[in-house]
Amino acid sequence: MRQSKKGNQWYFGMKVHVGTDASSGLVHTGGVTAGSVHDAKVMDNLIREDDRAVYGDRGYASETKKRAARRAGVLWAVKEKAKPGQKLSAWHRAKNRRFGKVRAKVEHVFRVLKCQFGYRRVRYRGIRKNGAQVFSLLALANIYLARRTLMAG
């Protein structure tokens, strides 16, 4: 793990990256990196061969990946970014809103980690031990989410 500075504030820690199933909301792929690693650098590790759609926030936007996904027949549902000095069109905003409803399932996994399991701060000093704990918590989150889905349905 490493430290980074944003403004005048120092941050220390790591990031958890997850790939989830769009229909069930269960985690299929996970990873941890230092807090200074950009999200888009680990995106390829989160996508499986059989995925038919890629959902992501504005940080994952990339024209080359978008074109590659279209060539492969994969739905590219990453939120659009406004060009510098311009606003997004109403059509792009509506599209981003539609994609956001599916992306909420990924955020639900983080809610379970933070609220149900109390994982708001790292416990250990190295990324290896914290990663092992996160992978265990992601497995437990899958059990928790699957159980809630079965009870509701």
Side-chain angles (χ1 to χ4, degrees):
M1 296 190 304
R2 39 174 52 146
Q3 61 196 19
S4 60
K5 188 175 184 181
K6 187 174 183 182
N8 207 19
Q9 178 71 39
W10 284 94
Y11 295 94
F12 179 79
M14 66 176 202
K15 288 184 184 178
V16 177
H17 308 276
V18 296
T20 60
D21 183 58
S23 58
S24 67
L26 299 178
V27 176
H28 59 70
T29 311
V32 294
T33 60
S36 60
V37 176
H38 195 275
D39 295 341
K41 291 190 185 263
V42 296
M43 181 181 188
D44 294 334
N45 300 339
L46 301 175
I47 300 172
R48 299 181 300 177
E49 286 290 322
D50 61 340
D51 284 342
R52 302 298 349 139
V54 175
Y55 291 87
D57 63 8
R58 288 175 184 91
Y60 294 102
S62 165
E63 281 300 318
T64 56
K65 289 182 181 181
K66 183 178 186 177
R67 279 185 256 128
R70 284 191 177 155
R71 278 194 304 273
V74 174
L75 170 67
W76 184 259
V78 174
K79 288 189 167 192
E80 296 286 336
K81 271 201 283 196
K83 303 279 189 252
Q86 297 178 355
K87 290 185 177 181
L88 276 179
S89 67
W91 183 77
H92 282 310
R93 282 196 307 272
K95 196 166 107 174
N96 283 352
R97 187 173 200 81
R98 201 171 59 244
F99 294 159
K101 291 178 182 179
V102 177
R103 284 192 57 249
K105 291 187 179 187
V106 175
E107 301 304 326
H108 191 71
V109 171
F110 289 110
R111 187 204 65 84
V112 170
L113 285 180
K114 288 182 173 186
C115 298
Q116 302 307 120
F117 300 141
Y119 191 75
R120 292 181 181 270
R121 293 177 183 241
V122 296
R123 255 181 217 175
Y124 306 108
R125 196 169 257 193
I127 199 163
R128 182 178 283 163
K129 280 186 181 180
N130 285 309
Q133 184 181 20
V134 165
F135 293 135
S136 300
L137 291 175
L138 288 174
L140 289 172
N142 273 349
I143 294 169
Y144 178 85
L145 293 169
R147 190 173 139 257
R148 288 199 46 145
T149 305
L150 289 174
M151 294 178 88

